[in-house]
Amino acid sequence: MNDILIRVTGGVGRITLNRPRAINALSDDMLREMGKALTSWANDPAVHAVLLDGAGERGLCAGGDIRSIYQAIQDGTDGPIAFWREEYQVNALIANYPKPYAVFMDGLVMGGGVGVSAHGSVRVVTERTAIGMPEVSIGFIPDVGGTFLLSRAPGELGTHLALTGGRIGAADAILCGLADQYLPSAALPDLAELPADQLLVEIAARAETPPAGQLAEDREWIDSCYAADTVEQILANLHGSGHPGAEAAAKEIQAKAPTAVKVALRALRTARELSTVEECLNLEHRLVSRFLTAPDLAEGIRAAVIDKDRNPTWQPATLAEVSDAAVEEYFTPKPGQQPVFGGSA
């Protein structure tokens, strides 16, 4: 069975992620084929729009194949660096695509799944949508352009999502700028068969108001508590706010990898000052190359998906032990490291 289905029908370049048992997790080959198709269609007069969806009922995409990353770390290889480079090139291609890029963000959309969807131009969510960038839970940071996306969410919503690794539904995704239209999932199969001249029109015509989310209600304490430049101060603000949601957020952050949380916060603050998704992806590439050789990423993957004990041992174990100098080292390019896109690493 092909892990990715690529075809052109009715002027629509159709891409279906086709690993339903793995919730369509992205492999090297899937990204490579996706990139080839998108590059070809960009200048193909027979293709007027692109549509991305996922096979099965569970979700569009659960992210990258982190088991393979774990194995590469165990084997001492740098294969993930090449994977991330290819992935980031696809993310930027989508963000700058010259034709409408529609995506059905139905079901679970996590990590790398956000990278192939939220950079699109017509992003459809449903009642089943659950979007998240939970990377700090495995000793990593939001990447695939996540720093670009989350740093541009209203107020401090993106900071909240990055540091807690929480999932959001349709209304909150639209509020955060990660999606555009809400439709019932039952409407998607018929829409997927429409020719290009009808697809986008019908998506807009059938769009509905999603059920209310949570973030709009929580904006006041989120914007207040996360308006700080250190994780320690954010936690103090959350503990002192008196809001149950803030206390729950603090508990989530304190369970994450301390180094990853600190690096993620600085990455988001840095990304706010960068102009393009390519600049943010270059920053992320610099950071992930450091995480690949640090202990927490392998330990986080082990605890989450290998042994599944959900009990990672972080190194260092506390925020206080993560020095400013240690964080700074992540932002320093490795000798000889080349950026994904032109310019400095």
Side-chain angles (χ1 to χ4, degrees):
M1 181 177 71
N2 292 331
D3 288 343
I4 186 166
L5 306 178
I6 296 172
R7 65 275 194 208
V8 177
T9 59
V12 178
R14 290 284 310 277
I15 301 175
T16 299
L17 307 179
N18 193 39
R19 296 180 68 195
R21 293 183 63 183
I23 320 180
N24 303 314
L26 296 166
S27 67
D28 297 42
D29 289 342
M30 291 167 71
L31 282 165
R32 196 168 297 120
E33 292 303 311
M34 189 173 182
K36 287 179 183 177
L38 291 173
T39 300
S40 172
W41 292 339
N43 297 308
D44 187 343
V47 177
H48 302 288
V50 171
L51 174 62
L52 173 71
D53 61 6
E57 300 294 319
R58 299 168 67 192
L60 171 69
C61 178
D65 188 347
I66 60 174
R67 285 180 176 272
S68 65
I69 293 174
Y70 179 82
Q71 190 58 53
I73 294 173
Q74 300 306 112
D75 294 342
T77 68
D78 60 359
I81 291 295
F83 170 81
W84 284 319
R85 178 175 289 271
E86 289 190 352
E87 185 174 27
Y88 294 0
Q89 288 169 341
V90 172
N91 300 148
L93 180 59
I94 293 168
N96 298 291
Y97 209 64
K99 299 175 181 180
Y101 181 99
V103 53
F104 292 162
M105 301 171 76
D106 186 35
L108 200 63
V109 186
M110 307 291 280
V114 175
V116 295
S117 59
H119 294 295
S121 54
V122 183
R123 303 161 299 176
V124 177
V125 285
T126 77
E127 78 282 0
R128 302 192 299 195
T129 295
I131 298 175
M133 301 205 78
E135 286 82 358
V136 291
S137 300
I138 59 166
F140 199 50
I141 60 160
D143 67 326
V144 297
T147 59
F148 179 86
L149 294 164
L150 295 177
S151 67
R152 284 153 175 78
E156 295 292 343
L157 295 180
T159 310
H160 172 63
L161 295 178
L163 299 191
T164 62
R167 299 181 185 182
I168 55 175
D172 288 336
I174 293 172
L175 173 62
C176 289
L178 302 177
D180 305 296
Q181 306 279 16
Y182 171 82
L183 283 87
S185 57
L188 302 187
D190 288 342
L191 287 171
E193 301 304 319
L194 293 176
D197 60 349
Q198 296 180 37
L199 175 63
L200 304 181
V201 172
E202 286 299 312
I203 287 175
R206 299 189 196 184
E208 302 178 3
T209 301
Q214 185 63 41
L215 291 183
E217 182 179 329
D218 292 343
R219 261 301 288 281
E220 185 174 354
W221 67 260
I222 287 175
D223 286 354
S224 173
C225 291
Y226 287 92
D229 289 327
T230 68
V231 178
E232 290 89 342
Q233 186 59 55
I234 288 172
L235 285 171
N237 293 344
L238 291 168
H239 285 306
S241 76
H243 193 286
E247 192 62 42
K251 183 177 180 180
E252 286 294 330
I253 294 170
Q254 289 170 311
K256 311 308 182 191
T259 299
V261 169
K262 283 198 169 184
V263 173
L265 178 62
R266 179 168 165 188
L268 287 182
R269 298 296 189 251
T270 302
R272 281 181 176 173
E273 306 303 317
L274 300 177
S275 301
T276 66
V277 68
E278 287 87 352
E279 289 176 295
C280 292
L281 287 163
N282 276 345
L283 171 66
E284 293 168 6
H285 194 253
R286 186 189 316 164
L287 297 173
V288 301
S289 69
R290 294 285 184 179
F291 278 101
L292 189 61
T293 55
D296 282 351
L297 178 56
E299 172 63 6
I301 297 174
R302 180 206 64 75
V305 302
I306 306 299
D307 297 337
K308 299 182 180 180
D309 59 28
R310 307 291 178 183
N311 187 32
T313 300
W314 304 124
Q315 300 179 46
T318 67
L319 289 167
E321 294 175 274
V322 183
S323 68
D324 291 344
V327 173
E328 178 64 31
E329 187 174 351
Y330 278 79
F331 287 80
T332 304
K334 286 187 173 182
Q337 183 177 5
Q338 296 299 312
V340 181
F341 305 96
S344 62

